[in-house]
Amino acid sequence: MPLSKIAGIGMYTPPNIVTNNDLMQYMDTSDEWIQERTGIQERRYAHRTEETTTTMAVEASKIAIERAGTTADEIDFIVFATLSPDYYFPGCGVLLQRAMKMKEIGALDIRNQCSGFLYAISVADQFIKTGMYKNILVVGSEKHSFGLDFSTRGRNISVIFGDGAGAVVLQPTEKENQGILSTHLHSDGESAELLAMYNPGTHANYWAAKNYADFSDEAIGDMFMSHQMIEKAQLYPYMDGQSVFKKAVVKFPEVIMEALHKNNLLPSDINMLIPHQANLRISQFVQQKLGLSNDQVYNNIQQYGNTTAASVPIALCEAWEKGKVKEGDLVCLAAFGSGFTWASALIKW
Ligand code: UT7
């Protein structure tokens, strides 16, 4: 069975840089608080009307496709991960297919938030291994800036997120000892409401009424969308940051170790760990727990914030462009987030 390799990688981040000081115009926050708690110095925001999650994905995909030595016409499947799609439905996969004038290929949308790109890579990897497809475009893209609460009420979330896109082309590899060695996917829906955007949705308070989560005051109404939701700011994401943080610092090392064990490897064998850029403090904790050096971990949340499904491919692309990921290197990708869902992948580059 052939393994799949990342044959090409690309990224796109909007030119509009938004600093921590810029955010102080809208909310009660400070550069000091944001940097100390998250490591973030600045993030990019997409143009409000001229850029969408899909248009950013197109830019990243063009680069990935060219670097893979192929053309949009040769792509035979799309896997698109995002939590900020252009439309509630249809998903961004078909919009990307249309925008890039691809053939009438399959397009799959993945809704796994921060671990979306890892899930997407894993799905694509299976299609390559079975021989069903030969050129799969895997994308993570987010336009968070369009859906955040920029008042002080939303500051714990709004300062974290940024916009951008990353894409890879997966192909079967002919080389020995190269490619995706394994992927590992997990979920635990027990804490689904701790990091979520409840509305618009079809829940009509079903979960709150069942007392499965303490969010009855936060998610009111029996309509898909209502004035009340707008007035009570329920069309914005909700996050219990501390609970997410506590779980993340356990699950990141766990799922990385799972991947290493599966392949009889040790943390010291990793040449480059690309963690989902959730919070620099989380990455530093994971690095310390696994005993990794600064050279073994790549972080760029300082410049881009947390770009959810796009963060892993953006960080991987930047690391590769800087020559920090080279042929033969053992690269580990890992993510944790809303769901909760978490995942890892080990790649021999
Ligand atoms: O990628 C998706 C997965 N997400 C994550 O992994 C996020 C994990 N969690 C985190 O990164 C952190 O929990 C945050 C960075 C979101 C928040 O940091 P924290 O240290 O957990 O802060 P907190 O929410 O406990 O808030 C501490 C204080 C509060 O004030 P009081 O009640 O102590 O007076 C907040 O109101 O900080 C306040 N605060 C802020 N102050 C200035 C919250 N956000 C801000 C802000 N600027 N932006």
Side-chain angles (χ1 to χ4, degrees):
M1 203 162 53
L3 294 188
S4 27
K5 67 170 180 192
I6 294 182
I9 183 161
M11 61 181 271
Y12 173 79
T13 54
N16 178 27
I17 297 173
V18 177
T19 65
N20 294 340
N21 285 333
D22 290 336
L23 293 178
M24 288 170 65
Q25 293 171 42
Y26 311 105
M27 63 188 81
D28 181 10
T29 190
S30 66
D31 179 46
E32 194 189 3
W33 190 97
I34 299 171
Q35 286 213 46
E36 194 183 302
R37 308 273 177 140
T38 71
I40 298 167
Q41 295 163 13
E42 58 191 37
R43 72 287 292 141
R44 306 292 180 97
Y45 283 174
H47 190 284
R48 287 191 79 74
T49 54
E50 287 171 18
E51 290 184 308
T52 75
T53 295
T54 303
T55 69
M56 291 190 286
V58 168
E59 297 309 316
S61 298
K62 280 184 195 163
I63 299 167
I65 289 170
E66 198 195 326
R67 284 176 175 166
T70 186
T71 60
D73 217 33
E74 295 298 317
I75 298 294
D76 42 25
F77 195 64
I78 298 167
V79 192
F80 198 125
T82 184
L83 66 64
S84 50
D86 292 17
Y87 298 139
Y88 192 81
F89 73 82
C92 286
V94 297
L95 303 182
L96 185 69
Q97 181 272 340
R98 177 176 69 184
M100 298 197 73
K101 299 185 172 47
M102 289 164 163
K103 288 190 216 147
E104 292 176 351
I105 54 173
L108 174 70
D109 283 75
I110 300 267
R111 296 198 45 171
N112 282 74
Q113 297 68 248
C114 305
S115 59
F117 185 77
L118 270 291
Y119 269 73
I121 280 275
S122 181
V123 169
D125 182 37
Q126 312 313 313
F127 279 126
I128 297 275
K129 280 190 193 144
T130 60
M132 184 153 171
Y133 297 122
K134 300 246 173 302
N135 260 315
I136 305 185
L137 180 62
V138 183
V139 188
S141 182
E142 304 285 2
K143 185 177 172 182
H144 281 302
S145 59
F146 218 55
L148 296 172
D149 181 356
F150 285 102
S151 72
T152 296
R153 183 181 51 198
R155 65 184 177 176
N156 71 317
I157 291 193
S158 303
V159 300
I160 295 175
F161 292 107
D163 301 341
V168 300
V169 173
L170 285 198
Q171 291 174 350
T173 176
E174 288 114 44
K175 283 193 186 159
E176 287 283 315
N177 200 21
Q178 186 193 45
I180 298 176
L181 304 180
S182 63
T183 58
H184 305 268
L185 311 179
H186 294 281
S187 75
D188 176 5
E190 197 57 44
S191 306
E193 284 76 19
L194 291 186
L195 175 48
M197 188 165 141
Y198 311 129
N199 297 307
T202 59
H203 59 88
N205 272 349
Y206 176 85
W207 299 106
K210 283 192 172 294
N211 286 328
Y212 283 173
D214 181 21
F215 73 108
S216 46
D217 289 342
E218 298 290 333
I220 43 164
D222 58 359
M223 294 173 73
F224 183 69
M225 203 182 289
S226 65
H227 288 291
Q228 209 175 10
M229 283 177 197
I230 296 169
E231 281 155 18
K232 298 226 166 196
Q234 292 170 355
L235 295 170
Y236 296 119
Y238 168 81
M239 177 167 72
D240 175 344
Q242 292 211 2
S243 299
V244 178
F245 195 107
K246 283 179 194 153
K247 196 82 171 180
V249 293
V250 174
K251 292 299 175 188
F252 262 108
E254 198 177 284
V255 79
I256 293 167
M257 287 311 295
E258 181 186 343
L260 290 169
H261 281 147
K262 165 87 182 166
N263 294 281
N264 294 319
L265 294 163
L266 297 167
S268 53
D269 293 316
I270 296 176
N271 295 102
M272 187 55 78
L273 169 67
I274 310 278
H276 160 54
Q277 303 291 293
N279 181 325
L280 189 60
R281 308 295 159 234
I282 294 177
S283 293
Q284 287 167 338
F285 189 94
V286 174
Q287 175 179 338
Q288 192 190 21
K289 187 93 192 277
L290 296 176
L292 301 175
S293 68
N294 288 343
D295 290 345
Q296 285 174 287
V297 186
Y298 192 77
N299 289 301
N300 61 5
I301 191 171
Q302 300 91 327
Q303 271 67 55
Y304 302 115
N306 177 342
T307 56
T308 313
S311 92
V312 169
I314 288 175
L316 180 60
C317 183
E318 213 178 65
W320 177 80
E321 285 176 356
K322 287 182 178 172
K324 291 175 184 284
V325 170
K326 301 175 291 303
E327 192 167 331
D329 280 356
L330 184 70
V331 179
C332 182
L333 313 179
F336 174 89
S338 164
F340 294 134
T341 63
W342 60 101
S344 63
L346 263 189
I347 306 171
K348 194 81 175 153
W349 199 266

mmCIF file of all heavy atoms in Angstrom, residues 147-168:
data_model
loop_
_atom_site.group_PDB
_atom_site.id
_atom_site.type_symbol
_atom_site.label_atom_id
_atom_site.label_comp_id
_atom_site.label_asym_id
_atom_site.label_seq_id
_atom_site.Cartn_x
_atom_site.Cartn_y
_atom_site.Cartn_z
ATOM 1 N N GLY A 147 -17.003 37.331 12.475
ATOM 2 C CA GLY A 147 -18.002 36.834 13.422
ATOM 3 C C GLY A 147 -17.581 36.919 14.877
ATOM 4 O O GLY A 147 -17.945 36.052 15.674
ATOM 5 N N LEU A 148 -16.814 37.942 15.230
ATOM 6 C CA LEU A 148 -16.372 38.061 16.619
ATOM 7 C C LEU A 148 -17.035 39.252 17.308
ATOM 8 O O LEU A 148 -17.390 40.231 16.657
ATOM 9 C CB LEU A 148 -14.847 38.234 16.670
ATOM 10 C CG LEU A 148 -14.009 37.056 16.142
ATOM 11 C CD1 LEU A 148 -12.539 37.445 16.069
ATOM 12 C CD2 LEU A 148 -14.201 35.818 17.013
ATOM 13 N N ASP A 149 -17.171 39.148 18.619
ATOM 14 C CA ASP A 149 -17.733 40.230 19.423
ATOM 15 C C ASP A 149 -16.584 41.164 19.814
ATOM 16 O O ASP A 149 -15.768 40.836 20.674
ATOM 17 C CB ASP A 149 -18.392 39.610 20.671
ATOM 18 C CG ASP A 149 -19.020 40.658 21.568
ATOM 19 O OD1 ASP A 149 -18.888 41.867 21.260
ATOM 20 O OD2 ASP A 149 -19.637 40.266 22.573
ATOM 21 N N PHE A 150 -16.537 42.325 19.183
ATOM 22 C CA PHE A 150 -15.420 43.238 19.437
ATOM 23 C C PHE A 150 -15.684 44.192 20.610
ATOM 24 O O PHE A 150 -14.919 45.136 20.816
ATOM 25 C CB PHE A 150 -15.055 44.014 18.171
ATOM 26 C CG PHE A 150 -14.307 43.170 17.176
ATOM 27 C CD1 PHE A 150 -14.937 42.642 16.069
ATOM 28 C CD2 PHE A 150 -12.971 42.864 17.385
ATOM 29 C CE1 PHE A 150 -14.258 41.835 15.170
ATOM 30 C CE2 PHE A 150 -12.270 42.052 16.495
ATOM 31 C CZ PHE A 150 -12.915 41.534 15.391
ATOM 32 N N SER A 151 -16.751 43.928 21.363
ATOM 33 C CA SER A 151 -16.942 44.718 22.585
ATOM 34 C C SER A 151 -16.172 44.032 23.719
ATOM 35 O O SER A 151 -15.710 42.897 23.561
ATOM 36 C CB SER A 151 -18.428 44.801 22.938
ATOM 37 O OG SER A 151 -18.881 43.549 23.425
ATOM 38 N N THR A 152 -16.068 44.693 24.856
ATOM 39 C CA THR A 152 -15.332 44.123 25.993
ATOM 40 C C THR A 152 -15.923 42.775 26.406
ATOM 41 O O THR A 152 -15.189 41.875 26.838
ATOM 42 C CB THR A 152 -15.345 45.136 27.160
ATOM 43 O OG1 THR A 152 -14.622 46.294 26.725
ATOM 44 C CG2 THR A 152 -14.688 44.577 28.419
ATOM 45 N N ARG A 153 -17.234 42.626 26.219
ATOM 46 C CA ARG A 153 -17.916 41.361 26.550
ATOM 47 C C ARG A 153 -17.250 40.150 25.871
ATOM 48 O O ARG A 153 -17.161 39.076 26.448
ATOM 49 C CB ARG A 153 -19.366 41.500 26.066
ATOM 50 C CG ARG A 153 -20.294 40.365 26.338
ATOM 51 C CD ARG A 153 -21.651 40.699 25.754
ATOM 52 N NE ARG A 153 -21.543 41.123 24.347
ATOM 53 C CZ ARG A 153 -22.482 41.784 23.689
ATOM 54 N NH1 ARG A 153 -23.609 42.110 24.255
ATOM 55 N NH2 ARG A 153 -22.304 42.117 22.425
ATOM 56 N N GLY A 154 -16.749 40.341 24.653
ATOM 57 C CA GLY A 154 -16.204 39.208 23.893
ATOM 58 C C GLY A 154 -14.692 39.150 23.877
ATOM 59 O O GLY A 154 -14.107 38.393 23.096
ATOM 60 N N ARG A 155 -14.036 39.935 24.762
ATOM 61 C CA ARG A 155 -12.582 40.101 24.625
ATOM 62 C C ARG A 155 -11.780 38.825 24.847
ATOM 63 O O ARG A 155 -10.695 38.668 24.285
ATOM 64 C CB ARG A 155 -12.083 41.188 25.584
ATOM 65 C CG ARG A 155 -12.258 40.830 27.059
ATOM 66 C CD ARG A 155 -11.834 41.985 27.956
ATOM 67 N NE ARG A 155 -12.071 41.634 29.357
ATOM 68 C CZ ARG A 155 -11.737 42.378 30.372
ATOM 69 N NH1 ARG A 155 -11.151 43.550 30.156
ATOM 70 N NH2 ARG A 155 -11.993 41.996 31.604
ATOM 71 N N ASN A 156 -12.277 37.893 25.677
ATOM 72 C CA ASN A 156 -11.474 36.683 25.938
ATOM 73 C C ASN A 156 -11.333 35.822 24.679
ATOM 74 O O ASN A 156 -10.391 35.053 24.544
ATOM 75 C CB ASN A 156 -12.061 35.860 27.093
ATOM 76 C CG ASN A 156 -13.360 35.182 26.707
ATOM 77 O OD1 ASN A 156 -14.215 35.803 26.067
ATOM 78 N ND2 ASN A 156 -13.525 33.930 27.069
ATOM 79 N N ILE A 157 -12.275 35.973 23.740
ATOM 80 C CA ILE A 157 -12.208 35.212 22.488
ATOM 81 C C ILE A 157 -11.645 36.059 21.350
ATOM 82 O O ILE A 157 -10.785 35.617 20.601
ATOM 83 C CB ILE A 157 -13.626 34.719 22.098
ATOM 84 C CG1 ILE A 157 -14.082 33.663 23.098
ATOM 85 C CG2 ILE A 157 -13.642 34.197 20.673
ATOM 86 C CD1 ILE A 157 -15.296 32.902 22.656
ATOM 87 N N SER A 158 -12.145 37.289 21.250
ATOM 88 C CA SER A 158 -11.846 38.092 20.055
ATOM 89 C C SER A 158 -10.366 38.407 19.884
ATOM 90 O O SER A 158 -9.895 38.524 18.752
ATOM 91 C CB SER A 158 -12.649 39.393 20.087
ATOM 92 O OG SER A 158 -14.009 39.066 20.191
ATOM 93 N N VAL A 159 -9.632 38.529 20.995
ATOM 94 C CA VAL A 159 -8.216 38.889 20.858
ATOM 95 C C VAL A 159 -7.386 37.712 20.336
ATOM 96 O O VAL A 159 -6.268 37.907 19.844
ATOM 97 C CB VAL A 159 -7.606 39.390 22.200
ATOM 98 C CG1 VAL A 159 -8.360 40.620 22.687
ATOM 99 C CG2 VAL A 159 -7.601 38.301 23.264
ATOM 100 N N ILE A 160 -7.922 36.514 20.447
ATOM 101 C CA ILE A 160 -7.143 35.322 20.100
ATOM 102 C C ILE A 160 -7.129 35.031 18.601
ATOM 103 O O ILE A 160 -6.119 34.619 18.046
ATOM 104 C CB ILE A 160 -7.722 34.081 20.829
ATOM 105 C CG1 ILE A 160 -7.560 34.227 22.337
ATOM 106 C CG2 ILE A 160 -7.054 32.809 20.354
ATOM 107 C CD1 ILE A 160 -8.216 33.100 23.096
ATOM 108 N N PHE A 161 -8.288 35.229 17.951
ATOM 109 C CA PHE A 161 -8.439 34.665 16.611
ATOM 110 C C PHE A 161 -7.979 35.577 15.469
ATOM 111 O O PHE A 161 -8.088 36.801 15.552
ATOM 112 C CB PHE A 161 -9.885 34.224 16.390
ATOM 113 C CG PHE A 161 -10.246 33.041 17.258
ATOM 114 C CD1 PHE A 161 -11.077 33.187 18.360
ATOM 115 C CD2 PHE A 161 -9.709 31.790 16.994
ATOM 116 C CE1 PHE A 161 -11.386 32.099 19.173
ATOM 117 C CE2 PHE A 161 -10.004 30.701 17.799
ATOM 118 C CZ PHE A 161 -10.846 30.852 18.892
ATOM 119 N N GLY A 162 -7.492 34.919 14.424
ATOM 120 C CA GLY A 162 -7.049 35.628 13.230
ATOM 121 C C GLY A 162 -7.510 34.879 11.987
ATOM 122 O O GLY A 162 -8.012 33.757 12.069
ATOM 123 N N ASP A 163 -7.316 35.519 10.837
ATOM 124 C CA ASP A 163 -7.772 34.945 9.566
ATOM 125 C C ASP A 163 -6.588 34.423 8.748
ATOM 126 O O ASP A 163 -5.468 34.943 8.843
ATOM 127 C CB ASP A 163 -8.482 36.014 8.729
ATOM 128 C CG ASP A 163 -9.686 36.610 9.443
ATOM 129 O OD1 ASP A 163 -10.196 35.979 10.393
ATOM 130 O OD2 ASP A 163 -10.126 37.715 9.040
ATOM 131 N N GLY A 164 -6.877 33.465 7.897
ATOM 132 C CA GLY A 164 -5.840 32.960 6.991
ATOM 133 C C GLY A 164 -6.205 31.594 6.453
ATOM 134 O O GLY A 164 -7.238 31.024 6.816
ATOM 135 N N ALA A 165 -5.350 31.107 5.560
ATOM 136 C CA ALA A 165 -5.606 29.802 4.939
ATOM 137 C C ALA A 165 -4.297 29.072 4.674
ATOM 138 O O ALA A 165 -3.259 29.687 4.428
ATOM 139 C CB ALA A 165 -6.343 29.999 3.610
ATOM 140 N N GLY A 166 -4.382 27.748 4.752
ATOM 141 C CA GLY A 166 -3.242 26.902 4.392
ATOM 142 C C GLY A 166 -3.763 25.727 3.584
ATOM 143 O O GLY A 166 -4.914 25.313 3.757
ATOM 144 N N ALA A 167 -2.933 25.219 2.670
ATOM 145 C CA ALA A 167 -3.379 24.100 1.829
ATOM 146 C C ALA A 167 -2.212 23.176 1.516
ATOM 147 O O ALA A 167 -1.053 23.621 1.476
ATOM 148 C CB ALA A 167 -3.968 24.646 0.521
ATOM 149 N N VAL A 168 -2.526 21.918 1.352
ATOM 150 C CA VAL A 168 -1.515 20.951 0.897
ATOM 151 C C VAL A 168 -2.121 20.085 -0.203
ATOM 152 O O VAL A 168 -3.343 19.932 -0.284
ATOM 153 C CB VAL A 168 -0.994 20.030 2.035
ATOM 154 C CG1 VAL A 168 -0.356 20.825 3.156
ATOM 155 C CG2 VAL A 168 -2.099 19.136 2.587
#
